[in-house]
Amino acid sequence: MRRLVFLLPIAIVAILVAIFWVGLDPERDKSVLPSALVGKTAPVVDLPGLADGAQRLTLGQFKGQLVAINFFASWCLPCRAEHPLLEQITAEFGVPVIGVAWKDKPEASRAFLQELGDPYVATGADRNGRTGIDFGITGVPETFLVGADGTVLYRFAGPLSPEGLRNELAPAIAEAKQ
Amino acid sequence: MIPELGHYALVLALVMALAQASLPMVGAARGIRPWMQLAKPAALAQFAFVAFAFLALMQAFASSDFSVAIVTQHSHSEQPLIYRLSATWGNHEGSLLLWVLILTIFGALVALFGENLPPRLKARTLSIQAMISVGFLLFMLLTSNPFARLNPAPVEGDELNPLLQDPGLAMHPPMLYLGYVGFSIVFSFAVAALIDGKVDAAWARWVRPWCLLSWTTLTGGIVLGSWWAYNELGWGGWWFWDPVENASFMPWLIGTALLHSALVVEKRDALKSWTLLLSILTFGFSLLGTFLVRSGIITSVHSFATDPTRGVFILALLAIAIGVPLALYALRAPTLRGGGLFAPLSREGALVMNNLLLAVMTASVLFGTLYPLMLELTTGNTISVGGPFYMATFGIFALPLLILMAIGPFMGWKRGDVRGALQRLIAAGICALGAAIIAVWIRSDGPLLAPLGILVGVWLLVGTVIEFMERIRLFEGNPARIWNRARHMPRAAYGMSLAHFGLAVAVIGMTGAAAWKTENLTVLQPGQTLTLQGYDFKLESVQGIRGENYLADQAHFVVSRDGDFVADLYPERRQYLVQPMPTTEAAIRSMPLADLYAVIGEPDGKGGWIVRVYHEPLVGWIWFGALIMVAGGLTSLSDRRYRVGAPVRAGAAQAAKA
Amino acid sequence: MRRALALLAVGWLAIAPALVQEALAQEAQLADPQLEQRARDLGREIRCVVCQSQSVADSDADIAQELRVLIREQIAAGRSDQEIRDYLVARYGDFVLFDPPFKASTYVLWIGPFAILVLAAIGVAIFFRRRVEEPARASELSADEHSRVKRLLHDGPEDRV
């Protein structure tokens, strides 16, 4: 019995090493906080349109189809970097993209889209940022995939990159279409 | 040219380490004297080679040699010299080299000053120390070469992270590593003793000074880090229970336990296998810290850039370095014969309680640190474990420990008189209660733990003073006799009193700073005033200034209280040359009972500025208390008994040399 | 000339976001000091989701500021502390609270240290109890030790190496 007690330290260390070994798995992405919304119904979106006199933006308009929602802002530098890739989501994968300008002055957002092109099927202005927080964003840009039934399927935090699009968003889209 | 030589020196050091790791160990097993004696020159040579490599790297930083990759990544020609030099260890590869340097320093010190050690113990200890070196040198040479080159060499570097450009942080890694890595030699002594199959009072005597040195420098290193955070990070915080902070705190807690249990081995020949276990675990926690920082498994403010191969290598190092000794421990420790007997209520008993509490406190910190990882791996959920958890567990366990600390020194060995001890401590109890009541009366806000913290802090403070007074019998005899007694008290006793006293001061400081800190923030235009705790902060002006390698907005606050001038504060918001993030330089006014802390933030675009001011009571006591603890450690170290070591009987020494 | 441009660039970078961002600098405090204190305390409990180990009260990140403003809004609207916590947890997960919740997934976390304390205390108690038994055994010498004693008494000090 006494001998068993002496084995306790090495047993604990062995367990810890095993845990660390699993934790080192390169597949594990430690930097991104998993979204609390994946698998849940998307929050209500009801925002004024970006253009003057445009109709309000709601998610209900897109019920029945798979859509992507992209949160962006004109003052956000990484948003500029990812912008060209947003068109690809529609062009290559056939998924319409909704744009939500987060904490941005509408004139500035409009100027931003005019300068870089408007890849969005609809846009809205989230001036006080609450819709973004409802989606649990950690900043801009952030892109969500919302299913036909209104469930949040996937969240991509940070600017899209060609690899990110190919390796992460594309499979999520493929899975959603099944 | 010099970086190449530095690189080559590392390879030579590895060769030396391999020799030092193998031959003396075999020599000790077989009784081959020349092989055992090889340990000393090998250790010294290893140190020399690593030191050369380190100096070569420092030279590359000092001269801004951008052909060396890490110099480009972490330095800039316009950086002040002190930060070009400290950038040497402000990165993964360079700090690893520092790690190995200190490893070899301790090996060399034992080789030089261990003349009194039994030859087998010395040979085995140095051999194990070299094994650790081999592991880390291989790691460096194979995955993290500090001397990797860039061709063509860039014209300018990327600059050291501005947050690291601070004097406190320049010194934080070296001090921390002296502590962290210093425990490696205690580890080596313990494994050598396990191989030897013998642990006795003499062994504890050999080990104690190394333990003390490591503990003292680790204390200093941790506090330097906290002090830096307080000065640099801009909101008066000094401890965040960040995984890597915890990783340096756990060896400190276990190291403290080790210091105390080694005392029992030395004085009473008891608690041997427990002390051996602690010796292995203390360095084990240091290695765990290294793993957490460098493998990328947990993201933290301290993490270096991550790379999967590095993580696997360090994990393997960790597994072998801790696993093999613990296996040896499981085999050998049960055969160690227990020594002196003692009653539960005795000084030994108090030290056992001390160890128990410290071990549980360490376990709490370990739990909190690793739990998010374990939960994430099993369920995929992430949670945060922050201050509230640690206060509820670690904080609660600390209370009885601090109470015990005042009682322990009053207890005799073998059998102590608790009631007598408590009677002598009545004055401490009254002071403590009084202080707690005053604390509640002055500041009724704050958590319940606050007056409790003051209670135990003052209890320990006064209790330590009472014990000291009793020891020199302050009220008996004339001053000359008293002075004589004080002079002849062993330094180690002074060390203990100082260290306990320092901890009490620090605990009072931590309680005040954590519990009663208040802040105020608003947008101010120049000319407007912000008030906090009766202090008026008037923003006089904000102007742009230029520093050696940065531009800044500098605010001028005039602080007054009831119309009387208190201080001028000049907080800054700096923009360094290359790094895009602005950093804040808080302006701090330290007063005996509190700090005033002012921060300037962003402009609001309308001529106003976001400003934040803090009032943090007793925070200065933390640094002061830590300083006293370090002084206590150094005082103990200077005790002649530790430097001479246990005497070896003349006859045996002769026989050994023959 | 390059210095002037650099200065200009830095200056612009410093104020440009303020021109286009909404409400970033308008982090007004609540008028009622008690409510403001609640906002501050809550701010310290909520973790900044993009920082390492900082609370939203301690962070400069945009999202941290947004959350601080949100907390104040909700307090002013009369929500309780727990309601606000639940609101944030619904959107960001348990991760956003520094005080880990006490639910099934964290029982081990909260109970662990106390369980260890109890186990360790039992260990120490057993240790003390065994020490009382040991004196009886320790007074006997083994055969090995007997011969060692004989040798010592006859031959002199042994080589301790």
Side-chain angles (χ1 to χ4, degrees):
Chain A
M1 177 62 208
R2 199 159 163 256
R3 281 217 170 229
L4 284 177
V5 173
F6 286 95
L7 280 170
L8 206 56
I10 190 167
I12 296 176
V13 169
I15 295 174
L16 283 179
V17 170
I19 292 176
F20 291 141
W21 173 252
V22 177
L24 277 180
D25 178 6
E27 293 297 301
R28 195 182 139 242
D29 189 355
K30 293 130 280 197
S31 58
V32 181
L33 173 64
S35 168
L37 287 171
V38 170
K40 299 209 192 104
T41 313
V44 169
V45 176
D46 184 8
L47 296 170
L50 197 55
D52 272 325
Q55 62 171 57
R56 287 187 82 83
L57 171 73
T58 63
L59 261 188
Q61 295 164 348
F62 299 92
K63 199 169 161 111
Q65 36 173 323
L66 177 67
V67 284
I69 305 181
N70 174 256
F71 286 88
F72 73 99
S74 61
W75 45 262
C76 150
L77 285 167
C79 301
R80 286 183 165 256
E82 75 161 4
H83 201 88
L85 292 167
L86 294 169
E87 289 165 348
Q88 252 185 290
I89 300 181
T90 314
E92 215 176 298
F93 301 100
V95 177
V97 187
I98 302 170
V100 177
W102 189 72
K103 303 257 345 144
D104 208 4
K105 294 198 165 107
E107 319 83 68
S109 322
R110 287 197 290 266
F112 177 82
L113 292 179
Q114 207 155 23
E115 181 197 334
L116 295 174
D118 186 351
Y120 302 122
V121 61
T123 48
D126 183 15
R127 292 188 75 159
N128 64 5
R130 290 298 161 269
T131 305
I133 292 186
D134 282 341
F135 271 82
I137 66 172
T138 57
V140 281
E142 227 163 277
T143 309
F144 292 83
L145 214 54
V146 178
D149 58 352
T151 314
V152 176
L153 299 170
Y154 185 77
R155 188 277 298 266
F156 190 97
L160 284 167
S161 59
E163 303 77 45
L165 189 57
R166 215 177 332 114
N167 300 335
E168 297 181 44
L169 195 56
I173 293 176
E175 205 182 311
K177 285 188 174 172
Q178 282 164 4
Chain B
M1 179 60 186
I2 294 185
E4 265 73 43
L5 288 176
H7 193 188
Y8 191 49
L10 282 181
V11 178
L12 288 176
L14 177 63
V15 172
M16 276 295 121
L18 283 166
Q20 189 186 330
S22 50
L23 296 170
M25 185 65 83
V26 175
R30 300 254 180 103
I32 307 172
R33 187 144 307 241
W35 287 19
M36 286 198 277
Q37 288 171 333
L38 193 62
K40 176 170 172 180
L44 294 173
Q46 210 198 124
F47 163 66
F49 286 129
V50 177
F52 178 82
F54 189 76
L55 288 172
L57 188 63
M58 248 190 154
Q59 196 273 346
F61 271 94
S63 64
S64 291
D65 178 0
F66 294 121
S67 70
V68 177
I70 56 176
V71 178
T72 302
Q73 288 153 12
H74 303 277
S75 190
H76 194 280
S77 53
E78 283 178 47
Q79 220 160 265
L81 177 65
I82 176 177
Y83 300 127
R84 293 208 302 277
L85 292 177
S86 72
T88 312
W89 52 78
N91 60 79
H92 166 69
E93 294 85 348
S95 66
L96 207 54
L97 185 51
L98 179 65
W99 223 98
V100 176
L101 177 67
I102 296 178
L103 208 54
T104 57
I105 288 178
F106 275 92
L109 285 176
V110 168
L112 280 174
F113 294 113
E115 295 305 324
N116 282 333
L117 286 169
R120 287 209 167 135
L121 182 67
K122 182 171 173 183
R124 286 181 171 132
T125 302
L126 288 175
S127 172
I128 292 164
Q129 189 76 354
M131 288 182 201
I132 306 173
S133 274
V134 168
F136 276 87
L137 281 166
L138 271 176
F139 179 58
M140 250 202 303
L141 288 167
L142 294 177
T143 73
S144 319
N145 181 10
F147 297 105
R149 298 276 234 174
L150 289 175
N151 192 10
V155 169
E156 189 54 88
D158 287 343
E159 185 176 50
L160 182 66
N161 185 331
L163 282 177
L164 303 183
Q165 294 189 36
D166 170 271
L169 212 68
M171 288 319 298
H172 164 64
M175 265 226 122
L176 199 68
Y177 288 8
L178 273 174
Y180 245 25
V181 185
F183 279 113
S184 66
I185 199 77
V186 178
F187 169 91
S188 301
F189 267 112
V191 180
L194 270 176
I195 296 175
D196 216 10
K198 179 165 60 207
V199 176
D200 51 19
W203 178 87
R205 266 278 176 84
W206 309 125
V207 156
R208 198 126 193 278
W210 305 106
C211 206
L212 255 176
L213 179 62
S214 307
W215 179 90
T216 307
T217 45
L218 188 57
T219 307
I222 294 175
V223 172
L224 261 176
S226 271
W227 185 70
W228 166 81
Y230 176 70
N231 280 292
E232 267 302 301
L233 293 181
W235 46 80
W238 39 270
W239 190 260
F240 307 95
W241 297 107
D242 174 84
V244 177
E245 277 178 329
N246 294 349
S248 71
F249 193 40
M250 289 188 280
W252 187 86
L253 290 168
I254 288 290
T256 306
L258 174 60
L259 209 54
H260 290 79
S261 80
L263 193 56
V264 179
V265 177
E266 192 183 323
K267 292 279 202 297
R268 303 281 297 136
D269 209 34
L271 292 187
K272 294 182 201 178
S273 69
W274 173 249
T275 303
L276 277 182
L277 182 64
L278 286 182
S279 306
I280 298 173
L281 288 180
T282 311
F283 186 57
F285 275 110
S286 301
L287 288 176
L288 177 67
T290 305
F291 173 72
L292 289 177
V293 181
R294 297 171 196 272
S295 65
I297 196 167
I298 294 180
T299 48
S300 143
V301 284
H302 289 86
S303 309
F304 293 107
T306 66
D307 177 1
T309 41
R310 286 179 181 169
V312 173
F313 201 115
I314 306 181
L315 184 61
L317 245 177
L318 185 71
I320 297 173
I322 307 182
V324 173
L326 283 182
L328 195 57
Y329 175 79
L331 273 169
R332 281 290 173 87
T335 64
L336 288 173
R337 296 299 227 107
L341 303 166
F342 50 88
L345 290 178
S346 59
R347 186 177 291 202
E348 297 95 314
L351 288 169
V352 168
M353 284 308 298
N354 154 301
N355 268 239
L356 169 71
L357 288 165
L358 280 169
V360 178
M361 282 156 78
T362 309
S364 308
V365 176
L366 186 64
F367 242 77
T369 307
L370 294 182
Y371 198 78
L373 175 67
M374 297 197 288
L375 191 68
E376 189 206 314
L377 291 177
T378 47
T379 66
N381 289 328
T382 35
I383 58 162
S384 297
V385 178
F389 169 79
Y390 294 106
M391 282 296 104
T393 52
F394 175 89
I396 296 288
F397 299 143
L399 294 175
L401 180 68
L402 292 162
I403 295 174
L404 199 61
M405 274 173 76
I407 304 176
F410 278 105
M411 307 273 268
W413 295 102
K414 272 187 103 155
R415 187 160 311 160
D417 177 14
V418 180
R419 184 186 276 161
L422 288 174
Q423 274 172 346
R424 279 122 93 193
L425 285 169
I426 285 183
I430 295 174
C431 289
L433 218 54
I437 292 172
I438 294 175
V440 174
W441 182 57
I442 297 181
R443 291 295 294 262
S444 49
D445 58 326
L448 177 63
L449 218 51
L452 283 177
I454 298 288
L455 184 81
V456 296
V458 174
W459 159 264
L460 181 60
L461 192 78
V462 179
T464 307
V465 172
I466 292 177
E467 198 271 334
F468 181 76
M469 293 193 318
E470 267 211 19
R471 208 187 270 250
I472 60 173
R473 305 210 295 275
L474 190 62
F475 299 112
E476 280 176 45
N478 56 48
R481 298 268 286 280
I482 298 171
W483 178 243
N484 207 33
R485 279 195 290 267
R487 266 191 328 132
H488 286 105
M489 199 164 81
R491 299 241 185 112
Y494 273 106
M496 177 197 84
S497 298
L498 277 173
H500 288 189
F501 187 84
L503 183 64
V505 171
V507 165
I508 295 173
M510 290 182 218
T511 307
W516 298 318
K517 173 173 159 191
T518 49
E519 71 175 285
N520 204 352
L521 79 133
T522 190
V523 178
L524 280 187
Q525 302 264 350
Q528 293 182 323
T529 303
L530 180 58
T531 306
L532 180 66
Q533 296 281 345
Y535 291 91
D536 296 309
F537 294 78
K538 180 165 179 226
L539 178 64
E540 291 287 335
S541 65
V542 181
Q543 42 182 298
I545 60 160
R546 257 210 98 194
E548 202 170 328
N549 56 337
Y550 60 87
L551 300 166
D553 293 315
Q554 187 189 71
H556 177 199
F557 279 98
V558 173
V559 188
S560 56
R561 192 189 173 90
D562 297 327
D564 298 321
F565 173 79
V566 171
D568 282 306
L569 292 175
Y570 296 93
E572 292 175 19
R573 193 158 176 273
R574 292 186 186 171
Q575 184 70 47
Y576 279 80
L577 294 164
V578 181
Q579 306 258 357
M581 54 206 217
T583 57
T584 47
E585 289 293 311
I588 305 177
R589 162 84 178 162
S590 297
M591 307 179 299
L593 287 178
D595 273 9
L596 296 173
Y597 194 100
V599 173
I600 179 138
E602 289 171 351
D604 70 351
K606 292 178 258 180
W609 297 80
I610 302 181
V611 297
R612 272 198 295 215
V613 296
Y614 297 89
H615 177 264
E616 204 157 337
L618 301 177
V619 67
W621 289 42
I622 305 177
W623 324 127
F624 190 51
L627 215 60
I628 299 176
M629 278 200 278
V630 170
L634 292 172
T635 308
S636 266
L637 263 174
S638 68
D639 190 316
R640 263 200 96 240
R641 298 178 302 174
Y642 296 133
R643 284 180 290 137
V644 168
V648 177
R649 272 175 39 239
Q654 294 286 40
K657 286 191 173 90
Chain C
M1 181 55 186
R2 280 212 305 172
R3 289 267 178 255
L5 283 177
L7 248 157
L8 216 58
V10 171
W12 173 248
L13 275 172
I15 66 170
L19 293 179
V20 295
Q21 264 180 319
E22 287 275 22
L24 203 55
Q26 285 155 33
E27 202 187 321
Q29 295 175 75
L30 294 173
D32 180 346
Q34 271 196 325
L35 293 181
E36 177 58 26
Q37 189 57 44
R38 265 182 68 199
R40 299 259 176 84
D41 290 339
L42 256 181
R44 270 189 280 261
E45 281 181 43
I46 303 296
R47 184 171 187 167
C48 161
V49 291
V50 292
C51 320
Q52 298 297 0
S53 301
Q54 294 150 19
S55 66
V56 291
D58 294 337
S59 165
D60 278 338
D62 287 349
I63 192 71
Q65 185 148 38
E66 276 317 300
L67 291 176
R68 290 200 294 267
V69 173
L70 180 110
I71 290 174
R72 287 197 167 85
E73 260 179 31
Q74 300 235 327
I75 289 180
R79 300 258 168 78
S80 73
D81 284 359
Q82 192 51 43
E83 282 175 326
I84 299 176
R85 283 188 207 110
D86 291 339
Y87 180 94
L88 289 170
V89 169
R91 285 154 182 76
Y92 289 98
D94 286 329
F95 179 82
V96 80
L97 298 174
F98 263 129
D99 190 357
F102 191 67
K103 49 194 226 197
S105 56
T106 57
Y107 284 158
V108 177
L109 174 68
W110 282 102
I111 300 182
F114 297 97
I116 294 179
L117 176 68
V118 168
L119 285 169
I122 294 176
V124 170
I126 295 177
F127 167 76
F128 274 122
R129 196 117 50 84
R130 217 185 303 119
R131 306 221 109 226
V132 175
E133 293 161 15
E134 260 185 28
R137 283 187 283 127
S139 55
E140 321 250 326
L141 293 177
S142 68
D144 207 3
E145 290 168 340
H146 241 297
S147 46
R148 263 182 69 194
V149 169
K150 272 176 68 179
R151 265 189 291 121
L152 272 171
L153 290 175
H154 291 276
D155 304 344
E158 55 180 33
D159 189 337
R160 286 192 74 214
V161 172

